[in-house]
Amino acid sequence: MSNLSKKRYTITSALPYANGPLHIGHLAGAYIPGDIFVRFLRLQNKDVVYVCGSDEHGAAITIRAKKEGVTPKEVIDKYNKQIKESFENFGISFDIYHRTSEPIHHELSQEFFLNLYEKGEFIEKFSEQYYDEDFHQFLADRYITGTCPQCQSEGAYGDQCEKCGTSLSPTDLINPKSTLSGKTPILKETKHWYLPLDKYQPWLEKWLIEGKKNELKSNVFGQCSSWLKSGLQPRSMTRDLDWGVDVPLEEAAGKKLYVWLDAPIGYISATKQWAIDNGKNWEDYWKKQTNPEDESTLIHFIGKDNIVFHCIIFPAILHAHGDYILPENVPANEFLNLEGDKLSTSRNHAVWLHEYLEEFPGKQDELRYVLTSILPETSDSEFTWKDFQARVNNELVAILGNFVNRVMVLSHKYFDGKVLMGSAFNDTDNAVFYELAKYPALIEKSIADYRFREALTHFMSAARLGNKYLADEEPWKVIKTDEERVKTVLN
């Protein structure tokens, strides 16, 4: 699937909302896969920049601020610090963890908007949108909840049903309610700037459906195909909000950019800041080059709920702008469930990363191993504490840990910890080498094709091979009669 022939790579993992802590679903969805892939590229001496940052705008932030009785700035400062520290303590290897509230990001987002505006890409229109009469304000998508018209689940938001993944408009909801007052909002006229996604549909079908049919994971391709089959509609790129990036037009005073316009641009602004800090040229990682061979390869690691934004909306924005490269791949994962139920921030049904790091100090690799072994790569998977314990004890400790420990203990016991060579390799040794030689290529192909669970299985199979070899050769017995042979076995 994956073509890793380029010399330069721009890797992103989804920007987490700075309105709450990280949980293990986030790790399994975007951050562990991205981190594995980046480390893999660096082992091949590729020029890689790995960027992420806090998504600090949008209705989710303001809703949290209203609930806690604080300002949006206080919310984002609190959670940016916590999320950044959690990533660092867990060992995720971002080159920069940035913030969309930084001036460099606001400036770049406004430049993008103006570029499209001056080209006449937007449709300007008045429309009726929901308005909360008690709070005297228009309601952004996330300020409205109701029943999903597709799956009939309660609590769907005005932009998306998190249960079935369907993209929605607020007026699609059945029995809509304002999250501010809890009352049914009224419709009131307002003006916004829309991106005509229907205009880009033919291009998207050619670039995405024809061009990436054999590259995208089945779950990603399926969701994109479904979206395009349903027919794209213009989508508003501005919102009536009091928190976010100002729309850079005099007639749009008080309006903000739609968070899904500015959030993906956060990858670019983060790269710009990293380039400034490290004496690099950010355009090498994001812009088209005179020689296409010199262009960077852009790959997004995200979760299921962000597929449409990274595969359809953001590429359409980049295409409309014209100067930027497009994603080579978007290896999105599905959802990770917890103990038989969906992970839920609002219900506090989650394993929070910062709490795990506090409760299990020094156990980052155990969590990394278990989550990698159950990554929801093409379908939902589940985390349970019983399974966590079993995988750590029966796999990580009993297979890999046991193999390493036995070799080290015997090497110290017999040869003061030195790695020595005794008698020549025999047919058994050569057979083991032959089997072992298969694994690097298998692991490399699995990672290159974004099959990280499979890569981990190959790695553990190599450890099993070592355990079997030790058990068959029994160096603890052979030491009594043939010390030279034991040197070779442990070597």
Side-chain angles (χ1 to χ4, degrees), residues 110-372:
Q110 291 174 331
E111 286 176 15
F112 257 84
F113 181 90
L114 286 174
N115 177 281
L116 271 58
Y117 175 80
E118 290 166 1
K119 289 178 178 177
E121 293 291 335
F122 292 122
I123 298 171
E124 301 175 20
K125 64 178 182 178
F126 287 91
S127 63
E128 289 191 325
Q129 294 193 3
Y130 283 124
Y131 184 86
D132 191 311
E133 294 181 289
D134 286 3
F135 280 76
H136 306 291
Q137 71 176 69
F138 284 99
L139 299 173
D141 303 339
R142 292 263 157 169
Y143 278 95
I144 309 165
T145 61
T147 302
C148 174
Q150 295 295 321
C151 70
Q152 308 305 311
S153 66
E154 301 291 334
Y157 289 108
D159 62 344
Q160 187 177 44
C161 173
E162 295 190 346
K163 183 74 172 179
C164 67
T166 299
S167 178
L168 301 169
S169 294
T171 51
D172 295 332
L173 293 174
I174 301 168
N175 298 321
K177 299 292 182 184
S178 167
T179 62
L180 297 179
S181 65
K183 297 180 180 179
T184 301
I186 65 167
L187 287 170
K188 188 174 180 179
E189 190 175 74
T190 184
K191 180 181 180 180
H192 283 294
W193 286 257
Y194 289 73
L195 187 69
L197 291 175
D198 51 333
K199 170 184 172 181
Y200 310 125
Q201 175 144 352
W203 171 80
L204 281 164
E205 289 176 346
K206 184 175 181 60
W207 171 72
L208 191 63
I209 302 304
E210 295 179 26
K212 298 194 176 296
K213 183 175 183 179
N214 297 320
E215 297 178 18
L216 296 175
K217 293 166 61 176
S218 59
N219 57 312
V220 178
F221 186 80
Q223 191 178 128
C224 293
S225 298
S226 177
W227 259 71
L228 290 167
K229 187 176 180 180
S230 298
L232 300 179
Q233 300 298 322
R235 195 178 187 106
S236 174
M237 292 291 111
T238 58
R239 291 291 187 270
D240 290 296
L241 278 174
D242 54 6
W243 176 253
V245 179
D246 291 331
V247 177
L249 300 173
E250 285 187 16
E251 60 182 302
K255 298 183 186 292
K256 308 296 179 183
L257 297 184
Y258 176 38
V259 69
W260 275 111
L261 170 62
D262 93 82
I265 295 170
Y267 300 134
I268 309 175
S269 60
T271 308
K272 284 190 75 171
Q273 187 60 60
W274 167 82
I276 291 169
D277 296 341
N278 292 276
K280 300 278 190 176
N281 180 5
W282 71 272
E283 294 185 350
D284 290 344
Y285 298 88
W286 278 99
K287 289 201 170 181
K288 296 176 180 177
Q289 304 295 311
T290 303
N291 180 1
E293 290 300 311
D294 293 332
E295 290 178 358
S296 189
T297 297
L298 174 61
I299 301 172
H300 298 302
F301 286 90
I302 59 167
K304 175 182 183 177
D305 50 339
N306 290 337
I307 290 174
V308 64
F309 302 108
H310 289 76
C311 289
I312 292 179
I313 296 177
F314 189 42
I317 292 168
L318 294 173
H319 171 69
H321 188 290
D323 293 342
Y324 287 81
I325 60 173
L326 297 168
E328 178 71 21
N329 213 314
V330 183
N333 283 335
E334 299 291 290
F335 290 141
L336 181 73
N337 296 318
L338 173 63
E339 299 285 358
D341 195 6
K342 183 179 178 180
L343 279 159
S344 172
T345 299
S346 60
R347 292 187 289 112
N348 198 31
H349 183 68
V351 177
W352 304 109
L353 181 56
H354 70 287
E355 292 182 351
Y356 175 89
L357 293 169
E358 292 168 3
E359 294 291 330
F360 299 97
K363 301 296 182 184
Q364 291 90 331
D365 285 345
E366 285 83 343
L367 184 58
R368 182 186 287 265
Y369 173 81
V370 172
L371 291 178
T372 302

Side-chain angles (χ1 to χ4, degrees), residues 76-119:
I76 64 173
D77 286 348
K78 172 184 176 180
Y79 289 110
N80 170 266
K81 181 176 184 293
Q82 184 187 76
I83 293 171
K84 186 173 185 293
E85 289 176 350
S86 293
F87 276 135
E88 290 171 350
N89 292 335
F90 191 65
I92 299 293
S93 57
F94 298 131
D95 290 296
I96 184 171
Y97 187 75
H98 203 231
R99 307 182 63 166
T100 61
S101 59
E102 292 288 347
I104 192 172
H105 173 72
H106 280 234
E107 292 166 7
L108 184 62
S109 298
Q110 291 174 331
E111 286 176 15
F112 257 84
F113 181 90
L114 286 174
N115 177 281
L116 271 58
Y117 175 80
E118 290 166 1
K119 289 178 178 177

